[in-house]
Amino acid sequence: MLVHNKWRIIRLLTLVGLSLLLVLLILFIVVMSRTFTLKENLGLQFAQWENTTIISADIIFPNVFSSSLVKHEVVGNYSHLFTVLGTDPELVPYMLLAHIDVVPANEVDGWEAPPFSAKELNGFIYGRGTIDNKQCVMGILQAVEYLLERGYVPRRGFYIGLGHDEEVYGYNGAVNIAKVLKSGGVKLQYILDEGLAVMDGIITGLNGPAALIGVSEKGQATVKLSASTRLGHSSMPPKENSIGILAAAITRLEESPMPRLFGYGPEQSTFEHLAHKFQFPLRFMMSNLWLFNPLLSRVMERRPDMNAFVRTTTAVTMFNSGVKVNVLPSHAEAFVNLRIHPAQTLQEVLDLIKSTISDNRVKLELVDGFDSLPISSYDEQSFGYQIIKKTLLDMFPQVTVAPSICIGNTDSRHYMDLTQDIYRFNPTWLRPGEPERIHGINERMSVQNYEEIVLFYFQLIQESDIRILPPSHTGQHEL
Ligand SMILES: CCCCCCCC/C=C\CCCCCCCC(=O)N[C@@H](Cc1ccc(O)cc1)C(=O)O
Ligand SMILES: [Zn+2]
Ligand SMILES: [Zn+2]
């Protein structure tokens, strides 16, 4: 009897155990399928991760994801390519770019709202990525959604590329989207990517806001410097060791900024376009940069954001050495990130670094580098530039539009084989104190500005349907 009961209990326990395992397996499958949905969506999170109230993109933009006019592809695992068909195959398509990845953010750094909460405070949405670059991701998709909802059928086809790794150079996202397009023989009329913005009160002395359209990008060099000396006991130090040698080299670099080149690149055009918005005597000086370059450069270089337009900038970003307090460091290494002015080449920059350091004990290696990018057209016949300009002026007649150079690099760099005309701009309004929020704390976007961004893309897409630009005023005068 006892033995019989024992077997009954064992059978019961086995059954309970198996049922528990089954429940756990089902739970695992449900959680995993949820995780894949999260990975596949655009990362558009409207609530905290713990609550997992995630709304996927096809729910927010039902028309974009169901329209027969739109083809959606996932590229490089996480990036998105949308192809929107146009009715006129004769018209060369264009492309809108944005990126869905962001740089890290930590609430303890002093955020007024948690950086991934998208909390609204006094008319501003707070959150990492709100001005870099979710405003464009959402702005573009929302504009297309509204257009499709209203039955709009574009005449000129276009592409939307949403990269997932722009903040780490775009080697998997943008590079692969560009490859897909290239393999399909695609040529683009123009590309519009993130970059510069509407500067309101940022440029000292300028009356009114300026919309700066990046027609080029500065080049870039990352250089590794290193020094090696003998390992040993700290009680018997030599006169110099690897740390001191490298620190001295870095001090020399910081104390000898690259030459002033203000006025020898596209920034000359920027200030010529803006000159009439300055008061005398700045107006006169801006219109005659050939004469006032030296003076203006010396004033501009005092502000880091302006200095970026004056020269190749030098930033020491990493320094590593030493393992123990009483061990002499055998090796020290540092990384220097330079942003190259268009009037200088990568090779010239490397030669200057070498001669400035002027110490053979310091080894110099180029990790990565490229010259500044070609200048896109911005004359009266330039289709992309004029479409962007018209869209902007229709919305913000008070703004002065000027070509400029983007001081950082963007995903569009990888699309250079597809078009000659790349523009880096979106109508995010930047006021004093706002540029510091990019990659910084309390990044935010006003609700009003977000609406303007949606409207901007909504109008731009329709403006781009024009077959050819109307004859320019300049052209008519010349006739
Ligand atoms: C005279 C006018 C004064 C204007 C003051 C300027 C205010 C700043 C306004 C906008 C900031 C510009 C930011 C441009 C976007 C840069 C994107 C970026 O941070 N890129 C990274 C990473 C990267 C990405 C893709 C690449 O191919 C390379 C690098 C970067 O390090 O540049
Ligand atoms: Zn960005
Ligand atoms: Zn960024």
Side-chain angles (χ1 to χ4, degrees):
M1 186 66 184
L2 262 176
V3 173
H4 187 67
N5 269 349
K6 188 178 144 198
W7 278 113
R8 275 183 66 183
I9 290 168
I10 290 175
R11 249 204 325 268
L12 198 72
L13 282 176
T14 315
L15 264 173
V16 170
L18 279 174
S19 318
L20 264 172
L21 264 176
L22 194 69
V23 169
L24 280 174
L25 189 70
I26 292 170
L27 266 174
F28 177 75
I29 291 168
V30 168
V31 168
M32 284 313 284
S33 64
R34 181 88 181 123
T35 311
F36 284 126
T37 320
L38 296 181
K39 278 187 178 170
E40 277 164 14
N41 80 24
L42 291 169
L44 307 170
Q45 302 168 14
F46 287 90
Q48 286 167 348
W49 184 263
E50 299 88 64
N51 300 336
T52 54
T53 315
I54 312 277
I55 307 169
S56 76
D58 51 345
I59 295 174
I60 318 169
F61 307 115
N63 285 292
V64 173
F65 285 89
S66 66
S67 168
S68 58
L69 295 174
V70 184
K71 179 178 157 206
H72 171 230
E73 289 165 78
V74 175
V75 179
N77 289 330
Y78 305 109
S79 284
H80 299 263
L81 171 63
F82 298 85
T83 306
V84 186
L85 294 177
T87 52
D88 188 344
E90 297 285 296
L91 299 182
V92 182
Y94 61 100
M95 184 161 196
L96 305 175
L97 296 181
H99 66 87
I100 59 178
D101 59 320
V102 294
V103 293
N106 201 332
E107 196 175 349
V108 297
D109 290 332
W111 283 73
E112 285 167 41
F116 295 99
S117 65
K119 192 170 167 187
E120 201 183 313
L121 291 175
N122 305 320
F124 286 90
I125 306 160
Y126 280 71
R128 173 59 82 231
T130 47
I131 49 174
D132 179 19
N133 184 239
K134 302 285 190 189
Q135 85 279 33
C136 295
V137 172
M138 297 293 277
I140 295 168
L141 292 177
Q142 190 64 69
V144 178
E145 177 67 21
Y146 281 151
L147 286 165
L148 294 171
E149 200 178 276
R150 284 159 177 71
Y152 169 78
V153 177
R155 189 187 292 159
R156 187 185 294 272
F158 61 98
Y159 297 90
I160 301 168
L162 306 179
H164 71 273
D165 59 352
E166 189 276 344
E167 298 292 0
V168 285
Y169 287 44
Y171 291 136
N172 284 315
V175 165
N176 282 314
I177 297 180
K179 264 189 201 153
V180 170
L181 296 179
K182 222 174 145 186
S183 67
V186 172
K187 285 283 168 211
L188 299 169
Q189 181 74 46
Y190 75 91
I191 286 181
L192 178 60
D193 192 9
E194 69 165 337
L196 296 173
V198 183
M199 310 291 168
D200 190 14
I202 302 266
I203 305 173
T204 317
L206 185 81
N207 291 326
L212 301 185
I213 300 176
V215 294
S216 176
E217 273 175 32
K218 286 182 94 174
Q220 193 179 151
T222 300
V223 177
K224 181 179 165 187
L225 302 177
S226 58
S228 298
T229 45
R230 251 210 308 201
L231 201 67
H233 199 290
S234 63
S235 60
M236 299 168 283
K239 201 163 154 261
E240 283 178 295
N241 70 36
S242 56
I243 294 185
I245 294 168
L246 195 58
I250 283 172
T251 305
R252 281 198 288 282
L253 273 185
E254 287 193 336
E255 284 176 352
S256 330
M258 292 283 164
R260 296 182 186 95
L261 294 169
F262 181 68
Y264 295 98
E267 73 282 354
Q268 176 179 21
S269 236
T270 310
F271 286 92
E272 277 170 6
H273 278 75
L274 298 179
H276 68 287
K277 287 283 182 166
F278 285 93
Q279 302 285 10
F280 185 82
L282 271 179
R283 175 184 300 200
F284 182 69
M285 291 165 89
M286 296 293 183
S287 317
N288 293 283
L289 285 186
W290 61 275
L291 183 59
F292 293 102
N293 268 345
L295 182 64
L296 282 170
S297 308
R298 281 173 174 77
V299 177
M300 288 181 70
E301 69 186 6
R302 292 189 204 145
R303 251 178 62 181
D305 55 352
M306 292 286 186
N307 184 42
F309 292 84
V310 172
R311 55 163 49 86
T312 296
T313 53
T314 310
V316 183
T317 48
M318 288 163 79
F319 195 115
N320 296 309
S321 187
V323 287
K324 196 169 181 303
V325 288
N326 60 353
V327 176
L328 295 170
S330 68
H331 188 74
E333 61 181 41
F335 288 85
V336 187
N337 187 247
L338 301 110
R339 301 305 172 116
I340 305 171
H341 188 281
Q344 230 175 3
T345 63
L346 172 63
Q347 193 52 53
E348 284 166 353
V349 168
L350 294 177
D351 293 345
L352 257 171
I353 297 176
K354 207 168 173 357
S355 64
T356 305
I357 291 176
S358 182
D359 184 342
N360 287 333
R361 294 169 302 172
V362 178
K363 195 172 151 201
L364 208 144
E365 289 162 80
L366 177 66
V367 179
D368 194 9
F370 49 90
D371 287 322
S372 67
L373 302 195
I375 300 178
S376 305
S377 67
Y378 56 88
D379 56 23
E380 299 285 343
Q381 280 79 47
S382 168
F383 186 85
Y385 188 85
Q386 293 305 331
I387 292 291
I388 298 167
K389 183 174 169 183
K390 178 173 189 310
T391 308
L392 260 170
L393 289 178
D394 284 349
M395 283 182 71
F396 310 110
Q398 75 278 31
V399 154
T400 310
V401 180
S404 187
I405 179 158
C406 194
I407 55 180
N409 297 111
T410 67
D411 263 354
S412 59
R413 187 165 74 88
H414 302 299
Y415 293 80
M416 282 195 306
D417 290 344
L418 299 167
T419 183
Q420 292 194 326
D421 285 332
I422 300 180
Y423 304 102
R424 297 117 181 130
F425 172 81
N426 66 78
T428 301
W429 281 64
L430 293 179
R431 301 197 165 88
E434 300 281 338
E436 293 89 298
R437 295 177 192 264
I438 307 172
H439 290 198
I441 57 166
N442 289 318
E443 185 177 349
R444 64 181 196 182
M445 154 68 52
S446 76
V447 174
Q448 182 194 327
N449 196 184
Y450 174 60
E451 286 171 7
E452 287 162 349
I453 288 170
V454 176
L455 186 60
F456 171 78
Y457 288 114
F458 184 85
Q459 304 286 30
L460 181 97
I461 291 167
Q462 295 177 81
E463 294 286 354
S464 296
D465 271 347
I466 195 165
R467 283 200 174 86
I468 47 164
L469 292 173
S472 69
H473 292 309
T474 334
Q476 279 168 356
H477 286 312
E478 276 165 8
L479 285 173

